[in-house]
Amino acid sequence: MAEHAPSMDAVPGAAPTTAPVALPDTPADTAPAADGRTPDEAADAARPRRSDATRAAILAAARDRFAADGYERATIRAIARDAAIDPSMVMRYYGNKAGLFAAASEIEVHAPDLTPYPRDEAGARLVRHFVERWECDETLTAMMRVGVTNEAGAERMRGVFAEQIKPVLAAVCPVPDEAPTRAALIASQILGMALCRYVLHLPPAVGLSRDELIAWLAPTIQRYLTAEQP
């Protein structure tokens, strides 16, 4: 075998030195983040979970099916078919039809706090809030359709509005004992207009601009909120 020539840098008589071994740097795309997660883990956390999309599809199909068939005739199998999933997935997430209906009819109307504003603006502000919510949230319209077709849906809608309007009334109602009655009256106006405008699509109701709708409803809602007597 051929002998290797000594290094030009070698010092005669000196002990051979071993060059330090360079450790590979941790690639930037796998280095842990400040919270200890790798970039892949962080990306997975940021990416919507598949189960969320599945749940959303189930709930959308359930609202449509409950609205079309009513609670009694709607079936888990039909809802699963509409959502393009296996019926076992519906049962996995919601247990049974009652559990699915409860989830599908879960509504948060986000009733506004009216206390920072002048008392005589309460009606207009409340109506504007509900009109804007209705026009940006398909869930409310879907549940209105369910409420029209079956008693379970109707009861759910009545309960949601009665309960969630209570905090508004508690802040402005002159007679606290009348709060349940006033809440029911407000719901009758809000739900009645929503039914005509967003479900039945009655031309005069649909034809009103948002400002016109608020101008018509606000005085009545103001009276229900703050009037001493009918």
Side-chain angles (χ1 to χ4, degrees):
M1 295 178 62
E3 294 184 0
H4 293 286
S7 170
M8 296 293 293
D9 295 329
V11 178
T17 58
T18 302
V21 178
L23 297 175
D25 293 334
T26 302
D29 60 351
T30 60
D35 60 3
R37 295 182 303 176
T38 67
D40 285 344
E41 291 171 337
D44 288 341
R47 188 180 300 118
R49 295 177 57 192
R50 183 176 301 175
S51 62
D52 293 339
T54 301
R55 288 175 184 271
I58 293 171
L59 293 180
R63 294 184 187 107
D64 289 343
R65 182 58 59 179
F66 285 132
D69 296 348
Y71 178 80
E72 296 300 330
R73 291 191 299 132
T75 66
I76 293 292
R77 186 175 297 278
I79 292 168
R81 183 175 63 250
D82 294 343
I85 62 171
D86 189 271
S88 64
M89 295 297 291
V90 180
M91 305 299 287
R92 171 184 173 185
Y93 289 127
Y94 299 105
N96 53 34
K97 187 165 73 170
L100 176 58
F101 180 78
S105 60
E106 186 66 32
I107 300 172
E108 176 56 64
V109 298
H110 302 289
D113 179 10
L114 300 175
T115 55
Y117 307 103
R119 186 181 178 87
D120 60 0
E121 295 180 8
R125 289 186 177 276
L126 188 61
V127 174
R128 181 174 295 279
H129 170 81
F130 278 112
V131 171
E132 291 176 350
R133 287 281 292 117
W134 226 289
E135 292 181 353
C136 72
D137 189 347
E138 286 295 326
T139 299
L140 290 175
T141 301
M143 286 312 302
M144 172 63 76
R145 295 199 305 270
V146 174
V148 171
T149 59
N150 70 91
E151 178 56 28
E155 179 62 28
R156 182 63 176 159
M157 290 295 290
R158 287 193 294 266
V160 165
F161 273 77
E163 290 300 318
Q164 296 189 33
I165 290 174
K166 278 184 179 180
V168 177
L169 286 167
V172 299
C173 180
V175 185
D177 290 345
E178 295 177 353
T181 298
R182 292 173 184 254
L185 290 169
I186 291 170
S188 73
Q189 296 295 311
I190 300 296
L191 294 178
M193 177 52 73
L195 175 63
C196 293
R197 184 176 174 93
Y198 305 115
V199 177
L200 300 179
H201 301 291
L202 295 183
V206 174
L208 291 170
S209 69
R210 181 183 296 183
D211 288 341
E212 288 173 330
L213 182 61
I214 293 168
W216 276 106
L217 288 181
T220 299
I221 300 300
Q222 181 73 38
R223 182 164 62 89
Y224 290 157
L225 283 170
T226 62
E228 295 286 346
Q229 296 291 332

